[in-house]
Amino acid sequence: MGLGAASVAMGVVPDLVRANERAPGPSLAALARGKGLRFGSAVGAGRAGSLTGTLDDPRYRQILIDECGVLVPENELKWYVLRPDARTFAFERADRIAAFAKAHDIALRGHTLLWHHPKWFPAWLNAYDFGKGPAAARNARALLVDHIDKVVARYPQIDSWDVVNETIDPRDGSIRRTVFSDAMGPEQTLDAAFHAARAAAPKARLVYNDYMGWEAGNEAHRAGVLKLLEGFRKRGTPVDALGVQSHLGTEDPAAAGGLGPPQEKAWRAFIDEATGMGYDLLITEFDVNDQALPADIDVRDAETAAVAKAYLDLMLDYRQTREVLAWGMVDKYSWLQGFTPRKDHLAKRVTLYDDAYRPKPLREAVAGALRSAPARA
Ligand code: XIL
């Protein structure tokens, strides 16, 4: 029985099992592996209450299987998905992604144990009463450490964790205030998260992840992150790497999503300082925002590919860069379609594959950067 007949018999819409167009040459996972790197992507669990919906799509799954050596749940490990309240854990959605990765022998990263930003806390957590005085600090620590213990223990296959995400306020470089930092103190909160993660996953790579970018307007954000990284080292906080989100063209406050000239010199100085303190680097959420580019698809694709190649060449030149993760692999599923829509309402072209599951020039840019990257041990 041919594949078409089989899928009809199984009640699958035949169109969905049409083969994807494959990029010529080795996969991105293989190119990365050849250089001692990992390449992969974020993925959503799909189905009811879907946030991004991509594990439901067989053609998307095929791209992940073909191209990725590592996956990261896009939302499924965040408090707002995992924690309906202070006592309960809702693991089903993350479990689905973990099972998929395991079934296809793909590694798994974790994102994130503490998105230290009140905007991304569940409402019950923002309203949580930890009590007064020293008891408040104890209670806050107990809730945080219990969360980290249980989540880390549930997914022993995760070997790289974004322990803390986006805690620096880009406006002034300060640490954001939350119910945890109010009860425990800001540094104490972040340190407690890393110590708990180290105790629960002694062999995992522990990462501080943030979106400071190489574009103008990120100066205070970069300075704040460096200060934070310095503090971790002074206090002996177990942090192994800096996660550089790399939403290119999104973190440019002045141009509102433009692809203006990068501050290359200042960016290199930033990366030099971080690596100089002994931190490894990860590109954790790569995509290229075409919000402010012309409508013409060829122009947009050429421009995003050129910017990507220049950026990735710079970053991969640092032997400290260990992993490259795209924030989604097919345009229509990208968070950027909704987060920063184009003024002309055209669909964005921000990921490596188009909506017909065809590889784009951006995919070739990533492949080219991996090909020319120096090998690391
Ligand atoms: C985004 C997801 O892609 C969206 O689906 C969700 O609605 C909001 O979060 N920085 C991060 C990621 O650290 O967790 C964000 O992911 C994108 C920006």
Side-chain angles (χ1 to χ4, degrees), residues 278-289:
Y279 290 100
D280 277 339
L281 303 169
L282 285 79
I283 294 173
T284 49
E285 306 183 13
F286 174 79
D287 49 29
V288 190
N289 202 333

Side-chain angles (χ1 to χ4, degrees), residues 51-52 74-75 78 80 111-112 115 120 165-166 209 211 245 247 285 327 335:
L51 293 162
T52 46
E74 183 166 343
N75 291 294
K78 296 170 181 173
Y80 63 75
H111 174 84
T112 163
W115 193 346
W120 300 103
N165 193 42
E166 298 185 359
N209 192 52
Y211 59 84
Q245 290 187 5
H247 295 293
E285 306 183 13
W327 206 242
W335 71 300

Side-chain angles (χ1 to χ4, degrees), residues 197-275:
R198 180 63 98 220
K203 293 196 184 127
R205 175 177 288 143
L206 304 187
V207 180
Y208 174 69
N209 192 52
D210 210 332
Y211 59 84
M212 66 285 129
W214 72 348
E215 289 122 351
N218 285 259
E219 295 82 353
H221 200 173
R222 283 181 226 133
V225 168
L226 285 179
K227 199 166 147 224
L228 181 77
L229 294 178
E230 223 180 298
F232 286 147
R233 283 295 182 252
K234 277 201 192 114
R235 299 190 300 277
T237 314
V239 185
D240 303 312
L242 170 65
V244 183
Q245 290 187 5
S246 310
H247 295 293
L248 304 188
T250 299
E251 310 310 343
D252 183 350
L259 281 170
Q263 296 181 328
E264 197 178 315
K265 198 160 159 247
W267 181 250
R268 280 186 194 276
F270 169 76
I271 295 293
D272 286 343
E273 281 216 40
T275 53

Side-chain angles (χ1 to χ4, degrees), residues 15 18 20 57 59-60 63 297 300-301 329-334 337 346-360:
D15 185 49
R18 216 168 45 208
N20 290 334
D57 176 343
R59 299 186 70 182
Y60 193 83
I63 289 180
I297 282 176
R300 271 198 270 164
D301 283 1
M329 290 294 281
V330 169
D331 288 335
K332 64 185 164 191
Y333 295 123
S334 170
Q337 300 292 359
L346 289 175
K348 289 186 163 185
R349 299 177 61 84
V350 297
T351 71
L352 281 56
Y353 279 75
D354 71 13
D355 292 349
Y357 308 85
R358 289 179 306 224
K360 290 159 50 191

